[in-house]
Amino acid sequence: DLQVTDAEVERFLKSEPFKGVPVEQLPPREQLEMISRQLIQRHKFQQAIYKAFGGGRVLMQQQGAEAFDAARRLLEDAEAKGKFAITDPSLREAYYRFWNMDHGPMLSSTDPKDPRVQQFLNPPWEAGAAGATTAPAGEAAAPAGAAPTTRPQP
């Protein structure tokens, strides 16, 4: 299900990306919610690709984790079914270069127990995730030992 719930947005707003950020540096709540919804939906889409196309390695990107190996298999599957084609060999090589280049430590192993894969499969904003917080709505999650900071309301 790619739909994003209000509860997921609340948990996302209390999760890691905003820990320790002073309230005055945060955008207005309405913008935070919009950004959160987009990031959660993108993540759910990547999880769906991961599950539908055999899992594999995960690539940590600026906009969140990407189902690296599964995304390639999705394209290869579309090619095999005739739904996608790059007929020029040099363009095809350039297109697939992304999956052949060194992504260093941002690319997980194929081990499903790799912490990056586990974080991808169990993000802190998902209900029941180990990192999910239960701080009241409107409050940012704070680092351990710090008092929560109230977010500005729109």
Side-chain angles (χ1 to χ4, degrees):
D1 182 17
L2 297 180
Q3 295 298 316
V4 178
T5 68
D6 291 341
E8 288 171 325
V9 170
E10 283 303 313
R11 286 190 298 269
F12 185 88
L13 289 170
K14 295 174 190 89
S15 68
E16 195 63 38
F18 302 107
K19 285 185 178 179
V21 178
V23 171
E24 60 274 3
Q25 292 180 5
L26 290 172
R29 172 129 182 140
E30 183 178 280
Q31 289 177 3
L32 288 173
E33 289 176 1
M34 180 185 69
I35 293 165
S36 298
R37 281 186 189 284
Q38 291 170 347
L39 291 172
I40 293 168
Q41 189 169 46
R42 182 194 180 284
H43 190 92
K44 286 182 169 194
F45 180 71
Q46 290 295 320
Q47 281 183 324
I49 293 170
Y50 184 89
K51 291 172 184 173
F53 290 91
R57 295 173 297 172
V58 173
L59 180 63
M60 308 312 280
Q61 298 275 42
Q62 289 178 333
Q63 293 291 316
E66 180 178 304
F68 187 76
D69 290 328
R72 180 176 179 141
R73 284 192 292 273
L74 169 113
L75 295 171
E76 291 170 341
D77 183 66
E79 276 188 306
K81 291 177 179 175
K83 296 179 179 181
F84 172 76
I86 302 174
T87 56
D88 181 309
S90 63
L91 288 177
R92 188 175 196 290
E93 188 278 325
Y95 186 79
Y96 280 100
R97 186 176 303 138
F98 174 73
W99 285 279
N100 296 318
M101 62 192 289
D102 181 10
H103 292 280
M106 303 313 288
L107 187 61
S108 76
S109 71
T110 56
D111 181 355
K113 293 181 182 173
D114 183 308
R116 292 163 291 187
V117 174
Q118 284 301 305
Q119 181 182 8
F120 172 70
L121 294 174
N122 304 293
W125 48 264
E126 253 182 16
T133 180
T134 56
E139 291 185 4
T149 307
T150 303
R151 294 184 188 281
Q153 298 299 314

